[in-house]
Amino acid sequence: MTETADLLFANARLATMADGGYGIVEDGALAVRDGRIAWLGPRAQAPRAERVHDCGGMWITPGLVDCHTHIVHAGNRSGEWEARLNGASYEDIARQGGGIMSTVRATRAASEEELLRQSALRIAALLAEGVTTLEIKSGYGLDLASEAAMLRTARRVAATMPVQVHTTFLGAHALPPEHAGRADDYIDDLCAHMLPALAGEGLVDAVDAFCERIGFTQAQTARVFDAARRLGLPVKLHAEQLSDQGGAALVARYGGLSADHLEWLSPDGIAAMAQAGTVAVLLPGAYYFLRETRMPPLDALRAAGVPLAVATDCNPGTSPLTSLLLAMNMACTLWRLTPLEALRGATVNGARALGRGDVGTLDIGKRADLAIWDIARPADLAYALGANPCRAVVNAGVPRAPRVELP
Ligand code: DI6
Ligand code: FE
């Protein structure tokens, strides 16, 4: 590289995640120009730069990617969680109006300002741990105005906090009370009116659904996917979380970006995902919080070469988790992912689950989204329970402290 770089991160150890492994460069350096990675390699060969940031021998990884969250919502469900621990059943709680519908009521009642204020606290926790790309789903509004408010709030997160946001429409998350007993009518309205209107406002980057006995059927999900396809939007799916509904094979048939959860994934589903290049998004937070016992078929996914991503699934009901590092540890401790698989799941494969090729690895030309860590080796990121070794985060070449100001 002959031109002078804007900024050089020197005296660093690089985990580029670019070669199927950690892609380690010891005693390395990384140069940034115009927000992009302009050069990386051995420090002795580093180009000139306007400014130099001495990393003191710390590690640099790609900025982390949390590719599956419901992090924008109002209210919380700690009360029903406490009731369950005191013996109440899900049915008791649902009869008293608990569950997803209590979050729907709270979210519908909240102003967009309040939605942003409550969500920003959770998002700040993720950003403090090096997350630079975040997926945010709707799905607690379940009517046009409230779904729009959620997605507009997600867009405001990207405008007011140092993070790139991918919005996912999840109108097919649960059946709203206004359509009780009329799921097909709700899907009709969603496909004919809600999704086209939200997409027309530029609020939707991808479309998701909850394909489950307590969610929507394969046929209803396919209608949502057909509507997404008509609008040129990519799809992903909450699939095989609690039963095998054939969701993974369905989203793979649509060339979907990802199938998520997958505890009940079948061999047919795995084959379809491998064929389509659909990413398996693993959500150990929900498995842990619900005290599930059935694991996703990880050895079969590995054997089929299906890329594995790891995400928090941050949501108030089944995964109130705002630490991607802890999600990585859960994936290793509960499901025997290797630390390398967990870190790839939160970088390059998380990016792939969002259809992004310009983040997730350290490569020339990629967006200079980086995280700088005070660790002995990359495995420390999945190892430490609760410690946050992030010492700096870089968004498009601009360094910042891990702790961010709230909007
Ligand atoms: N699967 C889940 O675990 C969450 N949504 C979904 O599709 C539950 C969301 C909630 O309980 O609020
Ligand atoms: Fe989810």
Side-chain angles (χ1 to χ4, degrees), residues 299-385:
D299 286 341
L301 283 164
R302 291 186 181 104
V306 175
L308 305 177
V310 176
T312 59
D313 192 18
C314 180
N315 77 74
T318 65
S319 188
L321 175 60
T322 54
S323 169
L324 186 52
L325 297 181
L326 183 50
M328 289 162 59
N329 176 278
M330 289 178 179
C332 296
T333 303
L334 298 174
W335 291 346
R336 315 305 294 161
L337 259 68
T338 65
L340 170 59
E341 287 175 324
L343 186 52
R344 289 182 61 76
T347 52
V348 56
N349 289 340
R352 185 167 171 175
L354 298 177
R356 289 287 294 277
D358 66 330
V359 294
T361 63
L362 303 182
D363 257 329
I364 292 177
K366 298 239 174 157
R367 200 180 140 87
D369 282 359
L370 319 172
I372 301 176
W373 309 93
D374 185 357
I375 53 176
R377 61 183 61 79
D380 283 356
L381 296 177
Y383 164 73
L385 285 168

Side-chain angles (χ1 to χ4, degrees), residues 156-223:
R156 284 186 67 199
V157 166
T160 56
M161 299 178 83
V163 63
Q164 287 202 299
V165 170
H166 284 250
T167 61
T168 299
F169 172 70
L170 179 59
H173 189 200
L175 190 61
E178 305 80 25
H179 283 86
R182 297 185 297 116
D184 280 321
D185 292 348
Y186 176 63
I187 295 296
D188 285 344
D189 180 58
L190 183 154
C191 295
H193 305 110
M194 207 188 292
L195 177 54
L198 297 170
E201 273 193 62
L203 292 174
V204 181
D205 297 323
V207 176
D208 188 355
F210 183 35
C211 185
E212 193 52 72
R213 284 180 306 223
I214 58 171
F216 294 90
T217 66
Q218 250 214 48
Q220 290 162 343
T221 301
R223 286 165 54 204

Side-chain angles (χ1 to χ4, degrees), residues 68 70 238 261 313:
H68 181 134
H70 308 254
H238 282 70
H261 282 290
D313 192 18

Side-chain angles (χ1 to χ4, degrees), residues 26-400:
E26 291 286 356
D27 194 13
L30 182 147
V32 173
R33 196 171 65 245
D34 300 332
R36 295 272 163 184
I37 297 173
W39 179 91
L40 71 161
R43 175 167 48 149
Q45 299 167 22
R48 290 187 318 281
E50 300 292 337
R51 290 172 293 132
V52 178
H53 180 104
D54 184 331
C55 295
M58 287 193 258
W59 284 85
I60 300 179
T61 70
L64 302 188
V65 178
D66 193 351
C67 68
H68 181 134
T69 87
H70 308 254
I71 203 162
V72 165
H73 60 266
N76 81 35
R77 307 238 292 274
S78 57
E80 62 183 63
W81 179 68
E82 183 173 22
R84 282 210 310 276
L85 288 169
N86 282 291
S89 71
Y90 271 100
E91 291 68 27
D92 298 334
I93 288 162
R95 261 198 299 279
Q96 291 152 24
I100 289 184
M101 283 307 146
S102 70
T103 303
V104 169
R105 281 195 303 278
T107 301
R108 285 179 170 182
S111 67
E112 289 184 37
E113 281 307 314
E114 183 56 13
L115 268 182
L116 181 64
R117 189 193 68 77
Q118 291 189 32
S119 307
L121 283 165
R122 293 185 285 267
I123 293 165
L126 289 178
L127 304 193
E129 285 188 353
V131 170
T132 52
T133 303
L134 178 64
E135 187 254 13
I136 300 178
K137 302 178 190 290
S138 69
Y140 288 117
L142 307 182
D143 62 36
L144 177 56
S146 308
E147 288 289 303
M150 289 189 74
L151 293 166
R152 274 197 297 269
T153 301
R155 287 281 189 247
R156 284 186 67 199
V157 166
T160 56
M161 299 178 83
V163 63
Q164 287 202 299
V165 170
H166 284 250
T167 61
T168 299
F169 172 70
L170 179 59
H173 189 200
L175 190 61
E178 305 80 25
H179 283 86
R182 297 185 297 116
D184 280 321
D185 292 348
Y186 176 63
I187 295 296
D188 285 344
D189 180 58
L190 183 154
C191 295
H193 305 110
M194 207 188 292
L195 177 54
L198 297 170
E201 273 193 62
L203 292 174
V204 181
D205 297 323
V207 176
D208 188 355
F210 183 35
C211 185
E212 193 52 72
R213 284 180 306 223
I214 58 171
F216 294 90
T217 66
Q218 250 214 48
Q220 290 162 343
T221 301
R223 286 165 54 204
V224 174
F225 285 177
D226 288 337
R229 180 176 275 174
R230 287 194 292 273
L231 293 162
L233 293 169
V235 295
K236 50 181 59 245
L237 189 62
H238 282 70
E240 277 74 284
Q241 178 181 2
L242 307 171
S243 65
D244 180 1
Q245 300 295 316
L250 175 70
V251 71
R253 274 205 304 278
Y254 280 81
L257 293 171
S258 69
D260 303 36
H261 282 290
L262 301 177
E263 283 84 338
W264 288 80
L265 178 61
S266 69
D268 289 351
I270 294 172
M273 289 174 70
Q275 174 73 28
T278 299
V279 175
V281 175
L282 304 173
L283 304 171
Y287 173 93
Y288 166 84
F289 198 72
L290 295 173
R291 305 178 71 235
E292 295 289 352
T293 55
R294 185 185 178 96
M295 293 172 37
L298 289 160
D299 286 341
L301 283 164
R302 291 186 181 104
V306 175
L308 305 177
V310 176
T312 59
D313 192 18
C314 180
N315 77 74
T318 65
S319 188
L321 175 60
T322 54
S323 169
L324 186 52
L325 297 181
L326 183 50
M328 289 162 59
N329 176 278
M330 289 178 179
C332 296
T333 303
L334 298 174
W335 291 346
R336 315 305 294 161
L337 259 68
T338 65
L340 170 59
E341 287 175 324
L343 186 52
R344 289 182 61 76
T347 52
V348 56
N349 289 340
R352 185 167 171 175
L354 298 177
R356 289 287 294 277
D358 66 330
V359 294
T361 63
L362 303 182
D363 257 329
I364 292 177
K366 298 239 174 157
R367 200 180 140 87
D369 282 359
L370 319 172
I372 301 176
W373 309 93
D374 185 357
I375 53 176
R377 61 183 61 79
D380 283 356
L381 296 177
Y383 164 73
L385 285 168
N388 176 14
C390 185
R391 293 291 172 268
V393 187
V394 181
N395 299 91
V398 179
R400 67 168 174 85

